[in-house]
């Protein structure tokens, strides 16, 4: 059963079992009553459902914070280890299983990727696979760079330990941020070899090239070396945090999702161009947009909408859009989409790698 554990003040060590939804606040009638002066009478609401545990602020005077960020009336999906301030009271959210005690709760956050293949120690191949997984994670972006006025969250999860998805970032001298997300067709070791090659090419190109020229240069190399039938889809995104403008250049990669300031999610519509490595003279697509306050732009690999469930059905972009509706933040939408994929796949083997990259423009104080 999920828990909220108070880790400061006079209530330190006290647990709230989250068996159902309820209100946190000073009123004695609340499901979770906190007799503390910094807590409002009806401070926040905990929402418990099959999809997980969410929290939203109820217009409290001193605010509700998740991992240092103040949240509002939108529900924010919690994950194991989240730190939650209710007024001045600090809680830790824990996803405790039925057969676990308090000392066995150090599980990784789903936003970092919790599914992976199990590797039995001892064989040379297993050791090589473990090394390959470590090497791949060093090639792709780890922690997103800090950009004033923006929050960036991402999730990287190969289907078979290693895979063909990649995401890299470059902070440019003029303050802009270049992000390149891509997907080598296939999965497993063959895709990961080409993925490493693509990352090597990108590392050798000038990141200050306009995104269109960057993709053209990458295509010129890949066209000469890819095996017949192989291809790479990719998107280059250049964010200007001062003008809040985003240039998106696409090479056969599906269009991003956008969560508007009012919480409504949709998929952008533009010509996405041709995949890299297919033709010498590539046709690229793209768009330009301004990110408004509290909007969230979400790039992903096709392991999102093309995730295959137990019965062989695709997840589909419409369900992804529904899951992104009313997302509270970049991290929140990444968690919601990764959990959506995990729930859809169920006990089946993941059919493709999954990469998610969310960029949120923060609102004015």
């Amino acid at each position: 059963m999920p828990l909220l554990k108070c880790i400061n003040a006079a209530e330190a060590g006290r647990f709230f079992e989250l068996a159902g939804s309820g209100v946190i606040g000073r009123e004695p009638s609340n499901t979770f009553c906190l007799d503390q002066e910094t807590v409002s009478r009806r401070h926040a609401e905990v929402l418990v459902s099959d999809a997980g545990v969410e929290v939203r602020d109820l217009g409290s005077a001193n605010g509700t914070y998740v991992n240092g960020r103040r949240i509002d009336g939108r529900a924010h999906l919690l994950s194991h280890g989240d730190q939650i301030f209710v007024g001045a009271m600090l809680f830790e959210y824990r996803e405790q299983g039925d057969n676990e005690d308090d000392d066995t709760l150090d599980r990784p956050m789903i936003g970092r990727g919790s599914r992976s293949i199990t590797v039995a120690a001892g064989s040379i191949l297993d050791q090589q696979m473990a090394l390959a997984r470590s090497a791949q994670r060093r090639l792709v972006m780890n922690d997103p760079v800090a950009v004033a006025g923006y929050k960036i969250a991402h999730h990287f999860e190969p289907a078979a330990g290693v895979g063909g998805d990649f995401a890299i970032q470059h902070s440019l001298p003029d303050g802009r941020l270049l992000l390149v997300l891509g997907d080598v067709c296939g999965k497993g070791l063959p895709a990961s070899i080409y993925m490493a090659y693509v990352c090597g090419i990108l590392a050798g190109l000038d990141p200050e090239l306009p995104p269109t020229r960057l993709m053209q240069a990458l295509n010129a190399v890949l066209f000469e070396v890819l095996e017949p039938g192989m291809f790479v889809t990719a998107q280059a995104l250049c964010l200007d945090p001062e003008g809040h403008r985003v240039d998106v250049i696409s090479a056969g990669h599906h269009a991003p999702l956008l969560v508007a300031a009012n919480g409504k999610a949709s998929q952008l519509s533009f010509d996405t161009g041709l995949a890299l490595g297919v033709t010498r003279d590539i046709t690229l697509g793209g768009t330009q947009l301004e990110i408004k306050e509290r909007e969230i732009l979400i790039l992903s690999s096709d392991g999102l909408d093309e995730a295959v469930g137990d019965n062989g059905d695709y997840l589909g972009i419409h369900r992804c859009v529904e899951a992104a509706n009313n997302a509270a933040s970049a991290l929140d939408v990444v968690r919601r989409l990764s959990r959506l994929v995990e729930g859809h796949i169920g006990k089946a083997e993941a059919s493709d790698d999954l990469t998610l990259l969310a960029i949120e423009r923060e609102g004015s104080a």
Side-chain angles (χ1 to χ4, degrees):
M1 179 180 295
L3 306 167
L4 280 179
K5 180 182 179 182
C6 187
I7 56 177
N8 74 345
E11 300 289 344
R14 180 181 176 187
F15 284 92
F16 286 123
E17 292 188 346
L18 305 180
S21 301
V23 173
I24 300 174
R26 293 205 325 269
E27 284 187 358
S29 60
N30 289 334
T31 310
F32 311 106
C33 183
L34 299 176
D35 186 13
Q36 212 272 348
E37 61 183 7
T38 65
V39 177
S40 297
R41 293 183 179 277
R42 290 174 56 84
H43 194 107
E45 184 178 19
V46 174
L47 305 168
V48 180
S49 67
D50 292 340
V53 177
E54 301 169 307
V55 63
R56 68 186 184 95
D57 189 74
L58 295 178
S60 64
N62 293 313
T64 305
Y65 294 77
V66 177
N67 297 330
R69 177 194 174 125
R70 186 166 186 164
I71 64 173
D72 56 17
R74 292 187 189 176
H76 186 101
L77 185 66
L78 298 178
S79 190
H80 178 77
D82 279 350
Q83 305 289 302
I84 304 156
F85 269 104
V86 179
M89 296 187 68
L90 176 60
F91 292 86
E92 183 177 72
Y93 174 69
R94 298 190 170 194
E95 294 178 340
Q96 186 176 26
D98 293 338
N99 298 318
E100 294 175 311
D101 58 34
D102 186 51
D103 294 328
T104 61
L105 296 175
D106 295 327
R107 291 181 297 210
M109 291 172 55
I110 194 170
R112 291 290 185 185
S114 59
R115 285 200 315 277
S116 62
I117 62 171
T118 301
V119 179
S123 74
I124 294 177
L125 179 60
D126 291 334
Q127 294 172 16
Q128 291 176 341
M129 282 294 292
L131 180 59
R133 283 199 304 277
S134 177
Q136 180 167 25
R137 290 189 177 274
R138 288 177 180 273
L139 288 174
V140 301
M141 62 185 289
N142 187 9
D143 294 327
V145 298
V147 179
Y150 285 82
K151 293 292 185 183
I152 302 175
H154 83 300
H155 174 85
F156 173 68
E157 188 173 332
V162 292
D165 283 6
F166 59 91
I168 65 168
Q169 60 186 349
H170 286 287
S171 295
L172 303 180
D174 60 4
R176 292 177 302 150
L177 175 65
L178 173 68
L179 296 164
V180 183
L181 182 147
D183 182 4
V184 177
C185 69
K187 63 178 180 178
L189 283 172
S192 71
I193 292 172
Y194 278 115
M195 169 267 179
Y197 184 69
V198 171
C199 288
I201 298 171
L202 287 169
L205 295 175
D206 183 358
E208 294 188 60
L209 285 173
T212 297
R213 289 183 57 193
L214 188 76
M215 298 289 259
Q216 289 171 338
L218 180 58
N219 179 73
V221 178
L222 292 178
F223 179 74
E224 300 294 337
V225 301
L226 289 183
E227 293 288 330
M230 291 288 290
F231 59 89
V232 178
T233 68
Q235 276 180 349
L237 180 150
C238 194
L239 168 66
D240 174 7
E242 290 189 3
H244 307 295
R245 194 184 75 170
V246 174
D247 295 328
V248 180
I249 299 299
S250 176
H253 204 87
H254 60 255
L257 304 181
L258 180 71
V259 181
N262 63 4
K264 182 175 176 57
S266 62
Q267 185 177 35
L268 299 180
S269 179
F270 59 86
D271 180 5
T272 55
L274 297 177
L276 300 168
V278 177
T279 63
R280 188 183 301 275
D281 298 318
I282 190 171
T283 300
L284 300 170
T287 189
Q288 294 181 344
L289 68 151
E290 177 187 348
I291 298 187
K292 299 179 176 62
E293 289 187 359
R294 300 194 65 204
E295 287 191 336
I296 309 170
L297 185 65
I298 308 146
L299 282 69
S300 67
S301 61
D302 58 12
L304 177 62
D305 57 302
E306 294 184 8
V308 180
D310 289 326
N311 59 2
D313 67 320
Y314 286 104
L315 177 60
I317 196 64
H318 296 297
R319 278 184 274 185
C320 299
V321 170
E322 289 176 1
N325 275 324
N326 293 309
S329 65
L331 177 59
D332 186 54
V333 76
V334 163
R335 288 178 176 176
R336 290 178 186 276
L337 291 175
S338 59
R339 287 191 179 183
L340 176 69
V341 170
E342 187 165 7
H344 181 73
I345 293 173
K347 296 182 179 179
E349 180 182 348
S351 60
D352 204 353
D353 310 321
L354 174 64
T355 300
L356 299 167
L357 180 63
I359 304 166
E360 171 198 2
R361 180 180 169 188
E362 297 181 293
S364 301

